[in-house]
Structures are given as C-alpha cells and as structure tokens.
Amino acid sequence: MERDLEAGKGAGDGAEVVLLDGGMGQELVRRSGREPTPLWSSQVMLDQPELVRDLHLDFIRAGARVITLNTYTATPQRLGLAGVGESIAAIHAAAGKAARDAIALSGEADVRVAGCLPPLVATYRPDVAPSADESLASYRRLVELQAPLVDVLLCEALSSCVEARAAATAALESGLPVWVSLTVKDDLTATLRSGEPLADAISMLQAMGVDAILINCSAPEAIQGSLENLLASPLPTGAYANGFTSIAELNPGGTVKDLKAREDLGPEQYAAHALGWVNAGIRIVGGCCEVGPAHIACLAEQLRSAGYRCVSRLSE
C-alpha cells in the first residue's frame, strides 16, 4: 500500500485521505461534568458508557471514518497502580461495544474501529516506561483484549524506540493492520520525547513491517517540522496534533486539569494546519487532545472542498 507522493501535491483530485476522529479525553470531561482523575477516561467506560458512544457518534457524523477505542488509560500498569487491575477486560469490552453501537446508530457503512496501544505508564515520559520485556508482555495483553473488537491496531503517542518496538511487535502478531504513531518534542527538532531522532524510529518501524507511520499528540508546528522525515518513508503516513499550550506540567499520576488549551486552534485554524499536511503528502489525518467534533467537521469540509475523498482505508 505505497503512497503516491504526487497525488498529495496541490489539489486533491479525488485522492483518498483516511479521516480519524479527535480527542476523547477532554471532551468526555466536559460532557460528564465530573472532576477528572488519573483514570477517569477508563472509569467512564463503566459508569457512563453512553457518553463515550455518543461522542463516537458525533465524530462519525462530523466525518470521521476511523474511530479509536476509548482505552487510552486502560493499561495493566495504570489500572494496577489504581488497584482496579481486575477491571481491564470489562473496560475493553465496554469500549468495543460503545464504538460498534455508535457505528450502528450512525447508519454509515464505511467506518472502522482502531484499537489503542498507548504508553503504559505516562504520556511523554519514556523514562518511567517499563522494561522492554514487561512492555511487550503488557502490549500482548492489550492486543489479546482488543483484536476481536477492532479493524486496525493503532499504537499511539509513543515516546521512544523501545516503546514503539514493543507495541508494534505485539500488534503485528495479531495479523491486523498496524499503524504506529510517535510523539515528538515541540521544539521543532524532529526528535522523539526520548531525544532519539525521529528518522531512526521511522527506519526501525519500516523494517518491522508496520502498515503506516504517524505523529500525534504534538503541537501542529512540531508536526510541520517533522514532515520531511515522515514523508521520506515509502509507507502511508499520518498526523494528528494536540491543542495544548504546553505539556510541561503533565506528570505521571496527574490529570488534564494541569494542561491548558490553546486559544489559536479553533476548527478553522486546526483544519488549515491539517490540510497543509495532506497537501504535502500525509494520507491519514485527524485530531488528538483538545480537538473535538467541530474541528473534525471543519477538516472534513475543507478536505472535500480541496478535492479529497475521506475514507476508512487507503486503496491497496
């Protein structure tokens, strides 16, 4: 499934773009009216699964063709530290049901579900990640839970080559399509949060045989600064940014209350960034934290106006 680079230059001319959903976390906090806790996005799957279903549905109606399981904090490590490790299977089952129910309610035929293989302990903090062996075992457990529920496995917000290798290894064992999304520093140096060159991670993932390589949960400007490295890959590539002013205040065990949203990334501004990436050759696009259904609706409209077709998978 090689990407035609020339198809990404200028007007869309009917080129396919996979449109992802946006961030679930902050939007669910707003809709629930609850104070966020370190595991609130997992707890909501047990307490208010209809909120998750309805948010999925709103993203689908906005134009998203791939929605991601709401299991970002439902890792063995995070649940275990909170003393609720026994709920992992129930949370994943509820997340799968919420996603499939949303698709059924939408009446849309071309929508797929992505799994979620996130950082196991904390976002942006490869220094607190488990060992390679423990990480691989945990990702295999997540794949076991998610593979029956999803169409593609998305390894996302990974901060180091060790994290990415462990997640990708487990995902590839499933036989499902595997997309791996990395998070880069916001200093425009095209390096992972670990300090490793993005180019090294891309080369590793290509050699492993993943189906697509993406960047997410980074500032739009950081994604723009990483495009040269990303688009050098022959694989399909993707990008979905966050809308935070800074991630410096987020520490292990903290909550999204510690982070502030940018005021210059409304739907029109975010869509302009993302359309620019697509015009450069990116073929999978969406949004991360602080990017809601209104952003995705605006992006879908801009993609269509530019001549692109929003799909759930790229043609072989």
Side-chain angles (χ1 to χ4, degrees), residues 3 5 199 202 206 226-235 237:
R3 171 173 40 78
L5 288 176
I202 291 172
Q206 286 176 190
S226 299
L227 285 186
E228 182 177 356
N229 285 281
L230 194 57
L231 292 170
S233 172
L235 296 175
T237 53

Side-chain angles (χ1 to χ4, degrees), residues 24-25 28 41-42 44-45 52 56 68-74 91 95:
M24 298 289 287
L28 285 170
S41 63
S42 292
V44 74
M45 287 311 328
V52 179
H56 282 315
T68 302
L69 290 183
N70 183 50
T71 55
Y72 189 84
T73 61
I91 290 170

Side-chain angles (χ1 to χ4, degrees), residues 2-274:
E2 291 194 0
R3 171 173 40 78
D4 180 358
L5 288 176
E6 292 305 314
K9 307 297 184 181
D13 294 328
E16 296 174 338
V17 175
V18 174
L19 183 55
L20 308 176
D21 56 8
M24 298 289 287
Q26 281 72 13
E27 189 68 21
L28 285 170
V29 168
R30 285 187 281 269
R31 294 184 182 203
S32 72
R34 295 185 176 188
E35 284 291 306
T37 67
L39 289 181
W40 57 264
S41 63
S42 292
Q43 192 62 41
V44 74
M45 287 311 328
L46 302 177
D47 296 343
Q48 296 175 286
E50 68 281 359
L51 288 182
V52 179
R53 177 202 63 202
D54 292 348
L55 180 51
H56 282 315
L57 181 58
D58 286 349
F59 275 123
I60 295 169
R61 287 173 172 166
R65 301 297 87 180
V66 176
I67 58 174
T68 302
L69 290 183
N70 183 50
T71 55
Y72 189 84
T73 61
T75 69
Q77 285 75 12
R78 293 190 188 207
L79 296 176
L81 286 171
V84 292
E86 73 284 352
S87 65
I88 189 169
I91 290 170
H92 279 78
K97 184 177 187 303
R100 293 298 176 185
D101 286 352
I103 294 173
L105 287 170
S106 76
E108 297 282 352
D110 185 33
V111 178
R112 292 199 297 167
V113 177
C116 175
L117 303 186
L120 295 168
V121 175
T123 307
Y124 315 126
R125 291 293 304 273
D127 57 310
V128 300
S131 68
D133 287 345
E134 182 184 344
S135 294
L136 179 57
S138 293
Y139 284 125
R140 282 174 169 158
R141 174 60 172 149
L142 292 177
V143 169
E144 177 186 27
L145 291 167
Q146 294 182 20
L149 308 174
V150 304
D151 306 295
V152 57
L153 284 167
L154 174 59
C155 313
E156 60 177 344
L158 302 177
S159 297
S160 72
C161 287
V162 171
E163 274 189 336
R165 180 183 292 278
T169 297
L172 287 164
E173 291 170 353
S174 72
L176 290 169
V178 175
W179 301 348
V180 180
S181 192
L182 306 161
T183 178
V184 296
K185 291 184 177 182
D186 292 330
D187 60 5
L188 311 185
T189 58
T191 57
L192 304 187
R193 305 281 181 181
S194 62
E196 298 164 289
L198 173 62
D200 289 356
I202 291 172
S203 295
M204 178 192 74
L205 293 169
Q206 286 176 190
M208 293 181 71
V210 305
D211 296 279
I213 302 173
L214 305 85
I215 297 175
N216 82 295
C217 218
S218 307
E221 295 81 3
I223 288 176
Q224 184 66 37
S226 299
L227 285 186
E228 182 177 356
N229 285 281
L230 194 57
L231 292 170
S233 172
L235 296 175
T237 53
Y240 52 115
N242 67 36
F244 294 136
T245 56
S246 169
I247 56 88
E249 298 303 316
L250 187 62
N251 295 306
T255 76
V256 292
K257 284 185 66 176
D258 300 321
L259 303 178
K260 294 182 180 179
R262 287 171 56 164
E263 296 181 358
D264 61 344
L265 275 181
E268 291 285 345
Q269 295 98 324
Y270 185 82
H273 281 288

